[in-house]
């Protein structure tokens, strides 16, 4: 086994338990995904495997030191060579070439005379061929930092690889390189990701939750099939317990009715005087005792059934998915909404973004995928369409329409307000207070979360809250504009957003490198920048 995790638990400093007694193993060459809702501890578990954190209890054993690519790369002072873990070798190489003869330099270099060339080749593979090895990594974008660490895979050829959301902020070509690496590598790989295309390349799926970890012996599509089977079985269990509860209540009622009839008959017999009083009293006491025992028995059956039913319904609620259905946009299909002519833009006037000016016509009902490599100006193009930027060249003509803009951070929700305050701010049609709270509950925000600050929410929670606010405002936009909306979502939140956009009947403009999401939302036209 490359990795063995035995009864691992992790507690925060305030003793809040993230997960307990997690056990699983990863064989040599096995490719494993680790999935679960935001906040269950997937990234924390990867940090434990990478030895960046220490378990509160339990043991982790790895055959060799894992190579770890984190989701948030907070390297500030390091050079690219230091981030790649080759700075000592490069310093030794330069010292030797400069005339140094100390044995220590040769020991550090370990005959790796091509280390500098290998670094440049590895960086070139990820489109970073112009990067100087002594430049600061803090100058790079988030996507470029990830690419630097991914370049280290070719340099170090590790036996164990840990990847935390590796496709976030990367363009299609970089996605493909990661997929190729996963497919071809002989290393043991553990991946945390919401990228369904990537998850389907992995042999095994582990689902992490507050109750522990569960193995599903297949890729993500297999996992979804098994979850659907489990959900159907859960519904059948709930139906069976509901039936059992009805039967138990009926029997309890029948027992009570029989006791009432016997009591009534006994009272009539007493009045007739046909049986000695002492015998009647004895019979009455026996009947009461028997009835009391039956009542206790049936009451216990009802209580036990109700408890099982409550537990099953809680499981069903936890696995339930928010359903968001917007009405159809009111614009008729085919109306020209936006036209660009000879459009180009440059932050410096002598350096335009696009080699060829953009001439495009956007009509209502179209679902347009705006694609291009990182830095090709996709977000800038959207800002030009909306009038947030003025063209350096050409023009943009717009008709009247309403729109909703969803960016990857869901900044509309990133406010110093509580959940309830933000929901009330969107109450443009004076819904009753209980109606707002009902919608929050339906969006999976129970009363215990209403005083929580919006700024503390995860990406998936922000997305759910914003869609809930749109439902409260009853605002059906003519255009949905989505700029990398899936980057910070967990898989359940991705499913909610996918189904929302899939079922929406209006105009959609999407910037995304998520192949699964694009395929699901029925794109009608692609525009490559």
């Amino acid at each position: 086994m490359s990795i063995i995790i035995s009864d691992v638990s992790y507690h925060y400093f305030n003793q809040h338990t993230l997960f307990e007694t997690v056990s699983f193993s990863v064989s040599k060459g096995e490719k494993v995904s680790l999935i679960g809702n935001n906040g269950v501890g997937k990234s924390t578990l990867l940090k434990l495997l990478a030895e960046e954190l220490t378990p509160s209890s339990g043991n982790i054993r790895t055959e060799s030191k894992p190579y770890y690519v984190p989701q948030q790369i907070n390297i500030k002072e390091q050079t690219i060579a230091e981030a790649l873990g080759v700075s000592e070798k490069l310093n030794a190489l330069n010292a030797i070439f400069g005339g140094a003869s100390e044995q220590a330099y040769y020991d550090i270099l370990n005959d790796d005379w091509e280390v500098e060339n290998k670094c440049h080749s590895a960086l070139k593979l990820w489109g970073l061929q112009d990067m100087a090895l002594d430049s600061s990594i803090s100058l790079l974008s988030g996507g470029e930092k990830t690419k630097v660490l991914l370049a280290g895979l070719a340099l170090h050829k590790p036996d164990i690889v840990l990847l935390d959301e590796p496709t976030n902020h990367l363009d299609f070509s970089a996605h493909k390189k990661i997929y190729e690496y996963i497919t071809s590598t002989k290393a043991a790989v553990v991946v945390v990701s919401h990228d369904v295309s990537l998850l389907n390349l992995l042999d095994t799926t582990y689902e992490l939750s507050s109750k522990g970890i569960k193995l599903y012996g297949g890729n993500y599509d297999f996992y979804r099939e098994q979850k659907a089977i489990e959900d159907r079985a859960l519904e059948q269990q709930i139906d069976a317990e509901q039936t059992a509860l009805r039967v138990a209540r009926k029997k309890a009622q029948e027992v009570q009715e029989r006791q009432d009839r016997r009591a009534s008959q006994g009272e009539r017999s007493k009045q007739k005087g046909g049986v000695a009083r002492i015998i009647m009293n004895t019979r009455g006491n026996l009947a009461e005792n028997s009835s009391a025992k039956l009542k206790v028995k049936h009451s216990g059956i009802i209580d036990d059934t109700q408890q099982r039913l409550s537990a099953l319904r809680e499981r069903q609620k936890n696995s339930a998915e928010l359903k968001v259905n917007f009405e159809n946009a009111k614009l008729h299909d085919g109306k020209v909404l936006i036209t660009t002519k000879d459009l180009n833009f440059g932050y410096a006037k002598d350096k335009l973004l696009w080699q060829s000016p953009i001439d495009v016509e956007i009509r209502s009902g179209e679902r347009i995928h705006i694609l291009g490599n990182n830095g090709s100006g996709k977000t800038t193009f959207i800002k030009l369409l909306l009038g947030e930027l003025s063209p350096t060249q050409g023009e943009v003509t717009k008709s009247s329409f309403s729109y909703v803009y969803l960016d990857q951070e869901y900044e509309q929700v990133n406010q110093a307000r509580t959940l309830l305050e933000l929901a009330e701010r969107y109450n443009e049609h004076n819904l009753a207070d209980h109606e707002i709270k009902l919608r929050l509950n339906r969006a999976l925000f129970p009363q215990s979360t209403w005083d929580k600050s919006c700024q503390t929410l995860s990406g998936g929670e922000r997305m759910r809250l914003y869609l809930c606010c749109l439902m409260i405002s009853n605002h059906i936009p003519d255009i949905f504009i989505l700029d990398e909306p899936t980057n910070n979502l967990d898989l359940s939140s991705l499913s909610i957003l996918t189904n929302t956009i899939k079922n929406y009947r209006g105009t959609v403009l999407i910037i995304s490198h998520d192949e699964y999401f694009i395929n699901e939302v029925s794109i009608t036209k692609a525009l490559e920048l």
Side-chain angles (χ1 to χ4, degrees):
M1 290 290 178
S2 290
I3 304 172
I4 299 176
I5 298 96
S6 304
D7 295 325
V8 167
S9 300
Y10 187 78
H11 308 269
Y12 289 122
F13 293 119
N14 62 5
Q15 298 304 306
H16 167 67
T17 299
L18 191 58
F19 48 74
E20 286 192 296
T21 60
V22 167
S23 299
F24 68 100
S25 60
V26 182
S27 303
K28 289 181 180 179
E30 188 178 8
K31 295 154 188 177
V32 166
S33 68
L34 189 61
I35 67 173
N37 291 336
N38 283 350
V40 298
K42 303 183 298 295
S43 293
T44 299
L45 188 50
L46 280 194
K47 288 178 182 177
L48 292 168
L49 295 178
E51 301 176 7
E52 291 201 354
L53 294 175
T54 302
S56 303
S57 61
N59 297 292
I60 296 175
R61 285 187 292 152
T62 57
E63 282 193 350
S64 60
K65 184 171 176 58
Y67 188 87
Y68 173 50
V69 180
Q71 180 178 359
Q72 300 293 336
I73 301 173
N74 298 315
I75 304 169
K76 293 183 179 178
E77 304 304 325
Q78 291 186 347
T79 64
I80 289 176
E82 287 171 333
L84 287 171
V86 295
S87 59
E88 287 191 2
K89 279 191 175 184
L90 289 172
N91 290 338
L93 181 66
N94 291 330
I96 292 168
F97 285 165
S101 58
E102 290 88 344
Q103 183 60 40
Y105 289 127
Y106 289 89
D107 291 340
I108 291 170
L109 187 60
N110 194 27
D111 288 335
D112 194 1
W113 299 98
E114 294 297 316
V115 60
E116 186 172 3
N117 291 333
K118 288 193 290 187
C119 285
H120 287 301
S121 295
L123 290 170
K124 183 178 180 180
L125 179 66
W126 294 93
L128 304 175
Q129 57 269 22
D130 297 326
M131 297 288 178
L133 294 173
D134 59 355
S135 63
S136 173
I137 198 168
S138 64
L139 302 174
L140 304 184
S141 68
E144 288 171 330
K145 289 176 184 176
T146 299
K147 287 179 180 181
V148 167
L149 294 190
L150 290 171
L153 293 169
L155 277 178
H156 299 290
K157 296 182 172 55
D159 293 323
I160 302 173
V161 176
L162 311 175
L163 303 175
D164 192 354
E165 297 288 1
T167 58
N168 267 13
H169 312 295
L170 300 185
D171 53 33
F172 272 121
S173 61
H175 279 219
K176 297 299 182 186
K177 287 186 177 71
I178 292 177
Y179 300 162
E180 289 166 5
Y181 173 80
I182 293 291
T183 303
S184 61
T185 185
K186 302 299 181 186
V189 181
V190 182
V191 178
V192 170
S193 180
H194 68 270
D195 183 338
V196 175
S197 300
L198 173 56
L199 295 176
N200 275 330
L201 298 176
L202 306 171
D203 311 316
T204 305
T205 303
Y206 281 99
E207 182 184 47
L208 185 65
S209 70
S210 58
K211 296 178 181 177
I213 199 162
K214 186 173 182 180
L215 167 65
Y216 291 84
N219 65 8
Y220 184 68
D221 281 347
F222 177 83
Y223 161 81
R224 286 199 297 185
E225 291 170 4
Q226 295 304 305
K227 291 294 284 186
I229 292 170
E230 289 176 6
D231 289 343
R232 288 194 294 271
L234 183 58
E235 289 176 5
Q236 291 172 355
Q237 284 181 277
I238 289 173
D239 288 343
E241 291 295 348
Q242 286 175 331
T243 300
L245 184 60
R246 285 195 296 270
V247 170
R249 284 173 172 163
K250 185 177 180 182
K251 286 185 176 179
Q253 184 179 358
E254 289 172 351
V255 167
Q256 184 62 49
E257 288 172 352
R258 282 200 301 271
Q259 170 58 18
D260 291 344
R261 285 197 299 271
R262 285 173 181 166
S264 178
Q265 289 170 357
E267 190 60 36
R268 287 197 298 271
S269 296
K270 278 184 186 180
Q271 292 172 1
K272 290 179 181 178
V275 182
R277 181 177 296 276
I278 190 167
I279 296 174
M280 286 299 302
N281 288 339
T282 300
R283 285 179 180 175
N285 289 337
L286 288 172
E288 284 179 12
N289 289 338
S290 176
S291 177
K293 288 178 181 178
L294 281 171
K295 187 177 288 186
V296 169
K297 176 183 175 182
H298 285 292
S299 178
I301 291 171
I302 290 171
D303 288 344
D304 289 346
T305 306
Q306 284 178 325
Q307 288 178 13
R308 289 196 300 273
L309 189 56
S310 294
L312 290 170
R313 282 174 173 159
E314 186 65 24
R315 279 174 55 194
Q316 188 179 51
K317 184 179 77 173
N318 290 339
S319 64
E321 184 175 286
L322 171 66
K323 301 289 192 301
V324 181
N325 292 312
F326 289 102
E327 295 177 21
N328 293 348
K330 294 181 171 57
L331 294 177
H332 64 82
D333 285 354
K335 178 182 178 181
V336 177
L337 302 179
I338 306 172
T339 303
T340 72
K341 185 177 181 181
D342 295 327
L343 178 67
N344 216 323
F345 180 83
Y347 289 98
K349 287 189 177 181
D350 58 342
K351 191 174 181 181
L352 297 176
L353 264 176
W354 304 297
Q355 288 185 352
S356 301
I358 298 172
D359 295 311
V360 69
E361 191 175 75
I362 297 172
R363 293 176 176 269
S364 58
E366 291 185 319
R367 304 170 82 83
I368 300 173
H369 181 203
I370 302 167
L371 66 159
N373 289 334
N374 290 345
S376 61
K378 301 182 293 294
T379 300
T380 299
F381 178 66
I382 290 292
K383 290 181 177 179
L384 288 165
L385 297 185
L386 297 179
E388 294 179 15
L389 289 174
S390 298
T392 305
Q393 175 184 306
E395 60 183 9
V396 178
T397 304
K398 297 187 297 180
S399 65
S400 177
F401 58 82
S402 65
Y403 67 90
V404 163
Y405 182 84
L406 296 180
D407 60 53
Q408 59 185 287
E409 301 296 339
Y410 294 90
E411 285 298 331
Q412 301 92 335
V413 179
N414 188 18
Q415 301 183 20
R417 288 184 169 87
T418 67
L419 274 71
L420 184 57
E421 287 171 345
L422 187 68
E424 289 171 341
R425 184 168 175 264
Y426 277 83
N427 185 19
E428 298 170 4
H429 298 283
N430 298 316
L431 291 175
D433 185 57
H434 72 272
E435 284 291 334
I436 296 174
K437 292 174 179 177
L438 179 64
R439 282 163 171 75
L440 284 169
N441 267 305
R442 286 176 181 166
L444 313 181
F445 292 110
Q447 184 175 354
S448 59
T449 67
W450 295 346
D451 290 332
K452 191 175 181 180
S453 170
C454 293
Q455 293 176 325
T456 66
L457 300 180
S458 69
E461 288 170 329
R462 288 184 184 187
M463 183 274 297
R464 279 193 281 115
L465 180 58
Y466 188 54
L467 293 181
C468 176
C469 288
L470 292 179
M471 297 295 286
I472 289 170
S473 69
N474 196 29
H475 174 49
I476 303 129
D478 299 319
I479 306 179
F480 258 116
I481 301 171
L482 302 99
D483 189 349
E484 296 289 3
T486 67
N487 272 359
N488 297 307
L489 303 186
D490 58 22
L491 286 162
S492 62
S493 300
L494 172 61
S495 180
I496 292 168
L497 180 63
T498 302
N499 288 329
T500 299
I501 299 303
K502 185 192 297 186
N503 295 328
Y504 166 71
R505 291 293 169 262
T507 310
V508 182
L509 304 180
I510 301 176
I511 298 171
S512 179
H513 296 116
D514 189 327
E515 190 173 3
Y516 168 80
F517 179 67
I518 290 300
N519 289 338
E520 286 290 305
V521 297
S522 304
I523 293 298
T524 61
K525 185 163 77 175
L527 175 61
E528 186 166 6
L529 301 181

